[in-house]
Each structure stands twice: as structure tokens, then as C-alpha cells.
Amino acid sequence: MSVNQQAHTGPPYGQPQPGYQGYQQPAYGGQPLPGVPQSQYGAYNGPMPGYQQPVPPQGYFPSLGFPSKGSPVSLNSDTSSLAPNFIGSLRAPPTSGAPPPASGASLPSGHLAYSQFGHGDVQNGIPASAAPMQRPPASQPFLPGSAPTPASQTSTFQQYGPPPASVQQLSNHMAGMTIGSTTASAPPPAGLGYGPPTSVPPVSGSFSATGSGLYTPYTASQGPPPTSVSQGLPLAQPPFPGQPISTQRLPTQVPGFAPPPSSTGIGPSSYPPTTGAPRPPTMPGPPLPGQTVAGPTMSQPNHVSSPPPPSTMSGPHPGPPMSGLHGPPPPTHPPQPGYQMQQNGSFGQVRAPQPNYGGAYPGTPNYGSQPGPPPPPKRLDPDSIPSPIQVIEDDRSNRGSEPFVTGVRGQVPPLVTTNFLVKDQGNASPRYIRCTSYNIPCTSDMAKQSQVPLAAVIKPLATLPPEEALPYLVDHGESGPVRCNRCKAYMCPFMQFIEGGRRFQCCFCSCVTEVPPHYFQHLDHTGKRVDFYDRPELSLGSYEFLATVDYCKNNKFPSPPAFIFMIDVSYNAVKSGLVRLICEELKSLLDYLPREGNMEESAIRVGFVTYNKVLHFYNVKSSLAQPQMMVVSDVADMFVPLLDGFLVNVNESRTVIASLLDQIPEMFADTRETETVFAPVIQAGLEALKAAECAGKLFIFHTSLPIAEAPGKLKNRDDKKLINTDKEKTLFQPQTSFYNNLAKDCVAQGCCVDLFLFPNQYLDVATLGVVTYHTGGSIYKYAYFQPETDQDRFLNDLRRDVQKEVGFDAVMRVRTSTGIRATDFFGAFYMSNTTDVEMAGLDCDKTITVEFKHDDKLSEDSGALLQCALLYTSCAGQRRLRIHNLSLNCCTQLADLYRNCETDTLINYLAKYAYRGVLSSPVKTVRDALINQCAQILACYRKNCASPSSAGQLILPECMKLLPVYLNCVLKSDVLQPGPEVTTDDRAYIRQLVTSMDVAETNVFFYPRLLPLTKADVDSDSLPAAIRNSEERLSKGDIYLLENGLNVFVWVGVNVQQGLIQNLFGVSSFSQISNTLSTLPVLENPFSKKVRSIIDMLQMQRSRYMKLIIVKQEDKLEMLFKHFLVEDKSLSGGASYVDFLCHMHKEIRQLLS
């Protein structure tokens, strides 16, 4: 996979990740080893020690350790925190009193010694059979010097009762999340067991299936294979450098949690060999000296091991078992080449001593509850749980090189973080529509059972990369587009022509309609029209029709739209330099108004208003020598004092406009007026557009709470005491209904409002933003605006906002085939009925999210269809219809639903659903509902699609293995869990932004991209490989960049080399770096150029210009930066990823029981 593929379109998440950045492979640190291939999950820290995966005896159902592609994730956990005294699962007790050696990494302290399957049958969460079985010897590296266990201890493998509910027990629940597949299949043949190698060498890059019968393929009915976290998961021990890591998509078993039993993944050689040589499969044979054989000691295949002991494999671990090591002490000599030390027992749940089992470990005090100082608690190893970075990387390498061809129904597109090309062959590009699932349940009962929301995130005017063709414009003349007589769906590739082409049957409602004579064409031998490829509406998923006069307001074609710039000239705006800045910028910006394709100049007319407590209108007619100002002081009854000369063509009135823009800052330079009005400003713009009989956009630049006497006057109602009370929702609701009514009038006229706010205190964004929100406008906020630090961001936002493609007076309707219908809509728009989404303006960055519900049964044969039709006025005043079609599969098996979901889109929908919920419910209720819905989604998968396994495992579907980490980010966001420094206005602002974000934007907003700049290759165009969002991934000697779509942080460690500081900041020491820089200095050296080019590239991918913030380690700004390290615990009380995963597991177990 090329590390250099720069993402073209969807903002990529980290670029492809070579090796595992941020992880010292051989020890935690941060320097990636060169040439380490990537693993499917978090940084791979090495094969499980001792990794021959032994084959289980008959009757033993190994968990599927390395399932075939896409197994479920399984986490074995039951508590949300590890028990402090868990010692680690043990193997069978040695008969002599010697403590058994633990090979390899010992368990995290904090996991009990009793595994739920009896001692010793560690890892693979296997149900023990009721009869005692022989425990075959294992081929893990048996290290000389440890006491061999006699083979007679087989009785330990019995079915024991339920695990005790002690604290300890929980411990390991967490530890064993298996992310592994859970296919049900027959146990592997008994004879394969654990011994010297015999067979297939693993292929690097995918788990080898060694030993017959080890991997059972997933059948379609089984559901996507579960993800098992162990796959390429980094184990807690550092691997041997250079170890290949598999990139296959396995079931996700979350580490730390027990793997699901099944025979799929247990293969020996689940991890690639440490030395690079193929790791041989195993066969039965006597234990090597020194290895205790307890229970089939399966070396964990796909399960991630629990956290390692502090000392890594570098040498002997001295000391008796109780000395603070977790679990039995490891052997005192290094592992043999080719195998790592075996990490035993990471997974099962802990159980108390069982019948037939002689106490815990004979010869030592009861393990797991021994007297003596408890070992320090260890948490689940973060490297062993699903890593967003790894998933993004794998998708890039697997799907970034081939174009995504849309000809096939129900295909799941590459992730938004992957840079790919789209070829439209009958379904709309994923740049226009993304769905939460591409295979939807046939019945409403099945949909209710799974709780997976069926939703589409639609971005009708999305910008395409230069190499993709824009939608074709089809002109059918005066007759207009061909439509179904009954449901009015537009002609599309799924319509069926019959009777030799004279009629067509609608694919949405099945009604038969006559083909108009001018549109008639013969059919070929397959029933397709012979002009199929000549007509975009028959062969493409997205296209445009030129609308006829019937589609226009009042049955007359629209005039070109107008832009009105409305500038606050109160004391704050003038004093801060804002007014002068806006006027200077507009002089040049007016030459860049949007224009249609090849037009010489823009058809858009412009007008200017300034205001404080009163409004000033300007006549800039081209025939005037100087502009004229007219003041309207009766703000209670707003009218526009002039018609002719207010809205003008820029080129014709250029000199008058330039003169006005020079004069405005001077006219108000000495103002003492601090109060402002707000609603009358919008009313004035609306009246001007009405008088000109056109649609348009108001650009309002506003600084303070409108407290002057006027309609829409507001009071300061900010009250932090309402947080976490039932009245908190009032903070998100508008103070008055006045603005809702004003918004309705604006939508009717096609008057869109874009709002640029520059507050120094509370401004009531929740109320001021109402009109912007309902008219489809954008809101920008620059708190404590200072030209020297904020000017770049504001001017870039303004330029982009003025120049971007916008459709005016837009109405969107989504039609569906029989069986489902659109029931709910999220985004910035207004609805006056239940089907039409109305927007005064819709730009290329805005999305509308639509939720569907069943109203009848669907059939697997015909699938389900969506058609999104957007009627709008282009910036040249042309009325058009843009059509997007998408066909989805339907399923009768839940497994097919779970195999075709898109987690990023699901999170986009859930965030919008929750952010709307805070308007009517207490925030806690909203958070609990989110957790509950996701727990139900995962519990349904576990119950119906994963093969049976112990409750101690958390099993996640492959394509939803990131649902917990991303959901936790939404729960910890400022809207749902604000820290003390987050203002009410910030929360209302973020709530409104997220509501119309696309999937790529919510992806990076909730899980920011973190790049190690010091690892960037200055000679290539590629980005450095991203690392996970956690403080433990940062090294004091490096510089990192973190971006979330609104801000770019550059974090500088205290130990960064002086040369790097000089190259990037132009100062000689760490202490001299200024954290008030808003741009990096332009220095002529490769590192400075590379970092600036990375930042420029990221800015290009985002719809807003991100604010640059320099953060020095241990500086006061570091608290703000840490807020974005979303895998860690947050100051506002948000859980860390590890703790949340445990909490989700507990919720799922409650639902299952």
C-alpha cells in the first residue's frame, strides 16, 4: 500500500500508516520501527508470547481466534474497571509445590486468578466439556527450568458453575475482550494438538490457517464474522521487531475479554512468527521441559492479552509469584527464538475454585485472594482493543487503489477517510449519499430487534474531485422531465420499460405510465432501451434536469439571486478593527462571486447595510459620483427606503462601491453606540429581496447580544447552574418564538442568512442562530476576536462562504420504494409539511440526514430504492432539479444487516439524533438513550449472529467494532458533557454545526486526527502515519499535530531537539516559542516547508478554516489540547475508551441476561 496516497476528497483521517506509528515497537515509546508492516488493530506489540496456537482436544471449542475475514469482536469483560487484585489466569496447578512459570507476559494485575473456565483453560473462553478431558501438551516454548506439569491434571477442565460475582472476577472480564470471530463450527479434530510444528507457514499479511479444520469460513448466514481484537492486536508485550502483522479483517474480539468459542480461529500460528520465519503449526507432543501444561493452554489467538507486566521481555522476571508480579512468575530465561514467551490465560473470566480442583494453586496461598500486598491494578491493554487508526489504514490499503464502481446494488463504499475515485454506473456516489446500512431488514420486526437505525446522510450539492464528472444537465424542453403518473418519481435507471418501450413501470410504486411520444425508444433483446447509454437519467445514479416554468414560484422564471452584506458598526465592532477589515476584504472579494460554468461575470447583484441601534442603507447606483446613505430609525416597522440603486451589478457600480467601502470605517470611527438590534436587520434584508423579487443571501457580521429596543430584543439568560438539571434544555432553545416566525418568512422568500459572530461575552447563539438554521445558512463564531490572531481564519471563512456553490429557494423530497418511507429529517432547513425539506439556501457543504421506517414488508429480490430530488435556483438564476438514486439490498438474516453497516454514518446519525434530543430532554436522558441503543444493537448481534460463547466475551461485529470508541467520543462531546470552561454559546454553536455536517466532518470532529510531525518524510508528499488519540502515545521529544475540522493544534514536547524548534518556529529554545502565533513563520528549510504544507493540505480538506493553536507541553493551553485526546478520561468526567468498553460490555450482558 502506498504510504503516499494523499486523500483527495473525503478528508482522510490519518494518511496510510506504515508500521505502527507512535508505538515503539519494541517498547512503548514512539519511534516506529522501520519497515514494520501494519496490523489490523492498534499498534501491534508482538505476537502473543509463545504463540503456537495449540489445537484443542475433542469437545473443546476453541474460540475462534483468527477467524476468517471479519469476525466479531469479542470482549471478555464484565465490569467497567479491573479488579485490583486480579492475578491473572493460571494454568493447572503444578503437582509439585513450585510456582508454575508463566510464560511470557503475565496478566494485568487486577485479573483474578480464576478463569471462568476453570483454571488454565485460558484464553479461549471455551466452554469446558463436562467430562474431564486430557489436556494435551502444548507446543508453546517450553522453557527449560520450569516445572513440567504432569499430564494427569486433566480433571481441571470441567464445566463449573457461574462465576462468582466478586470484584476480582470482573477484573478479568475486562481483560479478555476477545475480538475474535465467533463462527460456530465443529471443533477442530482432536488429533491436531500441540506439538512440534508441522504445517503451513503463515502468509505474512494474513493469518495462516494451519492445521486442518482450524479456520471455518463464515457462511452467509452467520453474520459478519466477529472482530476479534486479538488479531493483529498489539499484545501487551513488545514484539520482535519486523514482525509481520496481519491485515486480514478478523472478527473483532475485544481483548481483554474472552474470545468466543468456536473453532474458527484457533489456529496455531495465529500470530505471524516472531522471527520472520513461518511459525510452524503444532501437533501433540510432550511438554517441553519447563512448561506447565495446564488445561489446553491455548496461546491466545485472536484474543488480546491483558496488559503486560511492567517489564517487557527483555529478561528474566525474578521473584516468587507473590512478589508483585501479576500471575505466576515468568520463567527466568528469555524466550526461545521464534516464539515469544507465552502469555497465558489472559482471557477467561475468573472463577472461584471449582470442585475437582484442588484449591487454587497447591503450594501457594489461594491465588486471587492471597494475603500479602495486592499487586497494583493494571488496566486493559489499550493496544488490544479495536483501533480506529488501524481500521482506517486497512481500508485505505484494501480499497484506496481501485475505483468504486456504483453499478452493483447494495455495495458498501470505502470509508470516508479513504481516498478513492467513484465511477457512476447507476447509483449515486457515496459523496452524495451514505447509508447506515446497505442491506436493510425485510420486516419492521427485524429492524426493531436489531435497533440499527436506517438512515441516509445526503449531501445533494457535494463538491466532486476534479477527476470525477459533474452531474449531466438534461434538457427535455417544454415538456420537462418524464415522471411516474402516480408517485411523481423522476425517470431513473431502475424504471422498467414494457410493451416494446411504449410504457414504463415505476420502480417506486409499480404504477404503469405511458411514455411521451417524444421520449419513445425501442428496446433491445434484454428489454433495455437502445438509447440507454445516451441518456444520463437511464444510466447514471446522479444527474440534473432543467426545470420548466411549472417548477417556478408564481409560474415565472426566477431572477438571479442577490447578496446583501450587513455590517454591525457598534463600538465593539469598530474598536476591534473588524469593520475596517471587512470593508477592505470586500473590495477584492466581490470579484469572486459564484458564477455559472463559463459565464464572464457573476449574475449575482450586491447590496450594503450598516447598523447599530438603527439601520443605514446605501444607494450605490452606477450613475452616482458618491454613495448615498439613508437611515431607518423606526426599527419596529422595518422597510427598505430605496429600490433603485440598492442591489447593483458589481462591475457597473465598482467605483461607487469602492468609495463606500473606504468611507464606512471613517464614518463610524468615533461612534459611542454600544447597543445593537438584530431581528430588524434580517427583516430589512428580507424586504429588500421581496422588493427585488429574487432569492438571495444575507451576510450578517454581528458582535453583541441585541438588547436595544426593537423586535427580537433579547436578555442575558446564561445560567451555568442549569447544567445537569431538567431545565438545561432551555439553554439550547430560543428565548422567543419571534425568530422562528421570521425564519419561516425568510424561507418563503428564499432569503438565506449566514451569520458571522464576534462575541466578547454571552450572545445567545441558540436564539440568534435560529434563522440561520432554518434557512439553510451557516454560522461562524470568533470569540474575543483580535485581528492579529483571528484575521486569517475569518477572512478565509468569508472568502470560502462567498465563493462556494449555493442553490437558492431549494425544496428537497426523498421518495422510496414500497415498504419503507422517510419519517424523520435532521439538518439546517425548514419543514412546513411532513415530506418537503425547504431551504432558502443549500450550499455544497450541507447535508440532510433522513431516517426511514418500514410501512410494509420488503423483498430480498427487489431490494429497496431511494430517490432524492432537489429543486433549486442556480447562482445564475436557472431553475434545476438534481436527482440522486440509490438501490439497497434487503435481508431476512440479521447477519447480513450487520455485515453491511457503515459505522461512520451511524455515528453521524446518532450524534444528530442526540443533539436534537437535548432540545426536549435532559442531557443525561439523551446520553443514557444513546448508550442503551448501542448496547441493544451489539446485544442483538451477539445473541443472533455470533456463535454461542461465554457471557464474559464482548463480541462486536466486524464493521461495528469502532462503534464503542466513536460513541464514547459523542458522549464526551461538549454538547453532551461540557467541561467547566465550555460556554453555553459554544454548546449551542457546536450543536448547530454538527447538525448539518457530513460523515467525513463528524468522523474527524469526534475522533480527531493526530499526526507525529517529527516523523514526517520531508521529501514526500505524504502525511506521516496517524496515531491514536491518547496522551500515552505522545513522546516528550516529538512535535504533533491534532486537527478536528475546527482547530489545528501543534503540540511541542519539552524535550524536542533545539534544531527542530529553530527550524519550525525560528527561535532557539523551547521557552521562547510563542503560543500566540496564529500561523507558523515562513522559514526556508525542509521541515518548516513540510509542516506548513501539511497544514495547508488539511485546511483545503475542511469546509472551515481551522484555527492554529500552538501548545507547549506543561503549558496552560495543554488542558485544552488534552480535551481532544478522546481515548483518555476527560476532565469533564467522560470515560476513557477502555473504561467505556467495559461499561458497554456490562450493559450488553444485562440485556442478554
Side-chain angles (χ1 to χ4, degrees):
M1 162 199 107
S2 141
V3 179
N4 307 328
Q5 14 197 92
Q6 171 40 34
H8 197 85
T9 45
Y13 224 132
Q15 293 303 69
Q17 234 150 268
Y20 228 87
Q21 282 292 93
Y23 261 61
Q24 187 97 325
Q25 242 75 329
Y28 283 142
Q31 274 50 24
L33 293 175
V36 179
Q38 52 249 46
S39 93
Q40 159 103 16
Y41 284 89
Y44 170 65
N45 272 346
M48 269 307 186
Y51 238 157
Q52 229 6 69
Q53 174 71 11
V55 175
Q58 257 331 77
Y60 167 90
F61 298 94
S63 93
L64 2 52
F66 290 93
S68 60
K69 169 170 165 80
S71 334
V73 177
S74 129
L75 292 177
N76 215 13
S77 125
D78 343 54
T79 65
S80 50
S81 64
L82 302 185
N85 42 0
F86 169 63
I87 292 235
S89 349
L90 313 174
R91 299 196 172 218
T95 41
S96 71
S103 348
S106 31
L107 288 189
S109 57
H111 288 240
L112 284 189
Y114 295 107
S115 107
Q116 79 235 43
F117 307 114
H119 289 303
D121 39 314
V122 282
Q123 35 257 32
N124 291 330
I126 312 311
S129 69
M133 339 170 87
Q134 288 302 110
R135 296 192 172 245
S139 73
Q140 346 277 28
F142 286 87
L143 305 165
S146 0
T149 315
S152 61
Q153 287 168 265
T154 54
S155 60
T156 49
F157 212 57
Q158 320 235 349
Q159 189 69 39
Y160 299 113
S166 66
V167 194
Q168 309 177 317
Q169 147 182 15
L170 306 171
S171 67
N172 160 140
H173 288 160
M174 330 266 4
M177 301 176 181
T178 358
I179 288 200
S181 99
T182 49
T183 336
S185 56
L192 267 166
Y194 302 75
T198 55
S199 74
V200 197
V203 182
S204 106
S206 69
F207 288 121
S208 63
T210 35
S212 61
L214 285 183
Y215 290 46
T216 351
Y218 243 84
T219 61
S221 61
Q222 287 171 310
T227 306
S228 162
V229 169
S230 5
Q231 302 148 204
L233 290 201
L235 295 183
Q237 294 301 52
F240 290 37
Q243 164 112 349
I245 291 160
S246 126
T247 51
Q248 221 165 291
R249 281 178 95 168
L250 302 181
T252 304
Q253 248 176 255
V254 180
F257 297 65
S262 114
S263 58
T264 348
I266 280 250
S269 81
S270 321
Y271 273 103
T274 39
T275 54
R279 167 167 291 204
T282 52
M283 304 175 33
L288 303 178
Q291 165 81 30
T292 30
V293 178
T297 57
M298 313 283 315
S299 53
Q300 284 121 316
N302 249 351
H303 318 324
V304 177
S305 69
S306 4
S311 64
T312 55
M313 305 215 161
S314 52
H317 290 239
M322 284 325 28
S323 63
L325 285 170
H326 325 303
T332 51
H333 33 257
Q336 306 176 335
Y339 296 97
Q340 268 200 213
M341 302 189 183
Q342 148 126 348
Q343 172 136 345
N344 191 6
S346 322
F347 295 91
Q349 309 198 131
V350 188
R351 297 217 165 162
Q354 317 284 7
N356 263 352
Y357 208 62
Y361 244 74
T364 56
N366 226 352
Y367 246 54
S369 57
Q370 30 331 24
K378 270 283 191 175
R379 55 195 265 263
L380 183 65
D381 174 19
D383 284 346
S384 55
I385 54 184
S387 158
I389 303 301
Q390 193 57 51
V391 170
I392 287 166
E393 229 12 89
D394 292 344
D395 191 76
R396 268 196 198 134
S397 55
N398 297 334
R399 306 196 63 184
S401 49
E402 293 296 308
F404 178 68
V405 180
T406 71
V408 182
R409 182 175 84 188
Q411 283 184 102
V412 183
L415 298 181
V416 285
T417 44
T418 297
N419 179 20
F420 60 100
L421 274 185
V422 180
K423 290 196 174 162
D424 184 342
Q425 291 192 358
N427 281 292
S429 160
R431 303 191 205 290
Y432 294 123
I433 307 184
R434 275 187 179 264
C435 293
T436 52
S437 180
Y438 287 80
N439 199 333
I440 63 181
C442 283
T443 65
S444 61
D445 291 347
M446 199 170 146
K448 285 192 189 93
Q449 187 184 358
S450 73
Q451 287 287 312
V452 175
L454 305 176
V457 179
I458 306 174
K459 193 176 184 184
L461 298 179
T463 309
L464 299 183
E467 37 301 30
E468 291 177 22
L470 292 170
Y472 286 95
L473 180 59
V474 178
D475 182 358
H476 283 309
E478 288 182 16
S479 59
V482 178
R483 304 175 69 175
C484 167
N485 273 344
R486 183 198 289 157
C487 70
K488 303 297 181 200
Y490 294 86
M491 180 54 65
C492 72
F494 313 120
M495 297 289 191
Q496 191 67 45
F497 286 87
I498 54 176
E499 297 177 21
R502 287 189 295 279
R503 306 169 97 189
F504 67 91
Q505 182 168 26
C506 178
C507 49
F508 295 95
C509 71
S510 304
C511 174
V512 174
T513 301
E514 293 284 335
V515 172
H518 71 88
Y519 198 69
F520 174 77
Q521 186 52 270
H522 295 287
L523 308 184
D524 66 12
H525 64 285
T526 64
K528 261 188 189 170
R529 284 173 53 122
V530 295
D531 61 354
F532 176 81
Y533 290 108
D534 302 332
R535 291 195 177 271
E537 72 273 24
L538 299 181
S539 53
L540 299 178
S542 301
Y543 42 88
E544 291 199 312
F545 290 120
L546 202 53
T548 58
V549 75
D550 310 338
Y551 292 87
C552 303
K553 259 190 203 156
N554 308 325
N555 280 347
K556 63 180 198 188
F557 285 112
S559 308
F563 282 1
I564 304 177
F565 297 91
M566 315 184 91
I567 306 167
D568 175 346
V569 288
S570 64
Y571 178 75
N572 278 346
V574 174
K575 184 190 67 169
S576 67
L578 178 63
V579 174
R580 186 173 298 279
L581 186 65
I582 293 168
C583 292
E584 279 302 312
E585 179 61 28
L586 287 178
K587 286 185 207 169
S588 55
L589 188 53
L590 294 177
D591 288 331
Y592 296 96
L593 298 176
R595 54 175 175 236
E596 209 74 74
N598 48 10
M599 289 172 56
E600 290 280 315
E601 62 177 47
S602 175
I604 293 174
R605 289 169 297 161
V606 298
F608 303 88
V609 172
T610 55
Y611 67 94
N612 39 45
K613 271 202 320 201
V614 297
L615 276 76
H616 321 105
F617 291 80
Y618 297 93
N619 183 345
V620 282
K621 195 171 176 181
S622 56
S623 56
L624 297 174
Q626 283 296 320
Q628 296 170 348
M629 175 163 100
M630 298 185 188
V631 180
V632 176
S633 52
D634 181 6
V635 291
D637 183 18
M638 185 45 62
F639 67 98
V640 179
L642 73 163
L643 292 179
D644 190 29
F646 180 63
L647 294 178
V648 298
N649 173 292
V650 174
N651 283 338
E652 291 171 11
S653 298
R654 183 177 300 280
T655 51
V656 194
I657 292 172
S659 170
L660 171 66
L661 295 172
D662 284 336
Q663 290 174 40
I664 289 174
E666 307 309 326
M667 270 191 288
F668 298 99
D670 303 324
T671 185
R672 285 280 165 268
E673 186 55 76
T674 56
E675 293 187 356
T676 58
V677 296
F678 184 71
V681 181
I682 296 175
Q683 288 171 322
L686 172 61
E687 293 301 324
L689 295 176
K690 272 186 186 166
E693 297 187 340
C694 67
K697 186 183 272 200
L698 312 183
F699 295 82
I700 302 180
F701 303 92
H702 189 79
T703 61
S704 58
L705 191 69
I707 53 173
E709 270 314 316
K713 170 186 172 179
L714 301 179
K715 59 180 191 291
N716 187 337
R717 54 158 184 169
D718 191 15
D719 186 357
K720 280 281 177 87
K721 293 197 288 295
L722 298 182
I723 293 180
N724 295 325
T725 69
D726 286 353
K727 290 193 175 163
E728 182 172 6
K729 60 188 178 215
T730 60
L731 297 175
F732 295 109
Q733 298 164 352
Q735 273 188 47
T736 152
S737 61
F738 182 87
Y739 288 95
N740 285 315
N741 297 327
L742 180 54
K744 184 177 173 182
D745 296 341
C746 288
V747 172
Q749 181 55 43
C751 169
C752 177
V753 179
D754 279 1
L755 190 51
F756 292 81
L757 297 174
F758 305 87
N760 289 333
Q761 57 198 13
Y762 179 70
L763 193 69
D764 203 349
V765 173
T767 305
L768 297 188
V770 166
V771 179
T772 298
Y773 181 75
H774 284 307
T775 58
S778 302
I779 185 165
Y780 298 86
K781 181 166 158 286
Y782 311 89
Y784 307 106
F785 179 81
Q786 293 176 308
E788 52 280 9
T789 53
D790 299 307
Q791 147 174 346
D792 278 352
R793 182 163 61 110
F794 162 56
L795 294 180
N796 276 287
D797 282 341
L798 177 60
R799 288 167 195 153
R800 203 173 286 186
D801 197 54
V802 167
Q803 296 173 40
K804 67 186 171 188
E805 182 186 356
V806 189
F808 294 95
D809 232 339
V811 183
M812 185 182 101
R813 182 175 283 193
V814 178
R815 292 179 174 83
T816 53
S817 53
T818 311
I820 53 169
R821 62 195 168 87
T823 55
D824 210 351
F825 301 85
F826 303 83
F829 52 74
Y830 180 78
M831 291 188 81
S832 54
N833 59 35
T834 56
T835 53
D836 295 334
V837 174
E838 301 171 48
M839 294 153 289
L842 173 68
D843 64 49
C844 55
D845 297 324
K846 294 281 184 306
T847 63
I848 292 92
T849 300
V850 186
E851 185 179 8
F852 302 97
K853 289 255 182 354
H854 287 76
D855 56 8
D856 202 347
K857 282 201 171 124
L858 294 165
S859 93
E860 286 188 277
D861 299 337
S862 52
L865 302 175
L866 315 178
Q867 184 178 78
C868 162
L870 177 78
L871 175 65
Y872 71 99
T873 301
S874 73
C875 56
Q878 201 174 48
R879 200 71 176 147
R880 295 181 176 183
L881 283 152
R882 178 167 290 200
I883 313 295
H884 297 297
N885 302 287
L886 185 63
S887 58
L888 302 173
N889 287 329
C890 296
C891 58
T892 53
Q893 299 293 323
L894 282 165
D896 293 324
L897 163 68
Y898 284 101
R899 205 185 279 113
N900 291 281
C901 287
E902 237 258 306
T903 299
D904 293 322
T905 308
L906 189 56
I907 288 291
N908 178 284
Y909 164 83
L910 290 171
K912 291 171 181 178
Y913 182 78
Y915 281 17
R916 185 175 68 184
V918 299
L919 291 173
S920 52
S921 306
V923 172
K924 182 176 187 318
T925 310
V926 173
R927 292 166 46 81
D928 292 346
L930 270 184
I931 293 173
N932 184 46
Q933 181 167 7
C934 290
Q936 286 189 321
I937 291 171
L938 298 174
C940 174
Y941 174 79
R942 172 64 188 267
K943 184 175 170 190
N944 299 288
C945 309
S947 57
S949 57
S950 123
Q953 295 157 266
L954 169 53
I955 301 179
L956 306 172
E958 169 62 19
C959 61
M960 285 189 189
K961 65 189 173 199
L962 299 181
L963 187 59
V965 62
Y966 287 163
L967 178 68
N968 190 36
C969 297
V970 174
L971 294 169
K972 287 163 44 163
S973 63
D974 291 339
V975 174
L976 299 181
Q977 195 162 32
E981 72 297 340
V982 179
T983 66
T984 306
D985 276 346
D986 287 335
R987 297 176 74 196
Y989 174 62
I990 294 297
R991 195 190 78 76
Q992 197 160 320
L993 282 187
V994 169
T995 307
S996 44
M997 278 185 182
D998 71 11
V999 179
E1001 288 170 321
T1002 51
N1003 177 280
V1004 76
F1005 179 76
F1006 289 115
Y1007 192 93
R1009 171 152 62 166
L1010 182 58
L1011 307 174
L1013 294 178
T1014 23
K1015 306 278 188 300
D1017 177 356
V1018 294
D1019 300 321
S1020 88
D1021 292 339
S1022 64
L1023 291 178
I1027 59 173
R1028 291 172 65 173
N1029 283 213
S1030 173
E1031 193 175 358
E1032 62 187 34
R1033 313 279 161 165
L1034 305 179
S1035 141
K1036 292 182 173 183
D1038 288 323
I1039 300 174
Y1040 298 86
L1041 178 148
L1042 181 144
E1043 62 123 356
N1044 72 341
L1046 297 181
N1047 299 303
V1048 178
F1049 293 91
V1050 172
W1051 182 90
V1052 187
V1054 287
N1055 297 346
V1056 171
Q1057 296 169 1
Q1058 197 178 332
L1060 283 175
I1061 290 174
Q1062 183 71 52
N1063 284 344
L1064 190 57
F1065 299 103
V1067 295
S1068 56
S1069 71
F1070 178 81
S1071 59
Q1072 293 175 303
I1073 298 171
S1074 161
N1075 53 16
T1076 58
L1077 293 174
S1078 60
T1079 51
L1080 290 174
V1082 177
L1083 303 174
E1084 287 302 313
N1085 65 71
F1087 185 59
S1088 172
K1089 286 178 182 167
K1090 177 67 182 175
V1091 172
R1092 285 181 288 112
S1093 79
I1094 288 174
I1095 292 174
D1096 291 345
M1097 187 193 303
L1098 299 181
Q1099 295 285 21
M1100 290 295 296
Q1101 291 168 7
R1102 305 285 169 234
S1103 61
R1104 289 165 183 254
Y1105 193 85
M1106 297 182 284
K1107 179 179 186 174
L1108 178 68
I1109 301 171
I1110 307 294
V1111 179
K1112 292 154 69 174
Q1113 188 178 2
E1114 295 164 11
D1115 184 51
K1116 59 183 187 296
L1117 273 174
E1118 201 183 21
M1119 299 306 276
L1120 176 61
F1121 173 76
K1122 285 180 180 175
H1123 177 65
F1124 296 100
L1125 298 176
V1126 293
E1127 289 197 24
D1128 297 339
K1129 201 168 169 176
S1130 71
L1131 291 172
S1132 54
S1136 67
Y1137 175 20
V1138 168
D1139 290 346
F1140 183 70
L1141 201 51
C1142 299
H1143 177 69
M1144 281 301 286
H1145 189 211
K1146 197 163 80 183
E1147 294 283 320
I1148 291 166
R1149 292 182 63 159
Q1150 280 174 349
L1151 290 172
L1152 292 173
S1153 61

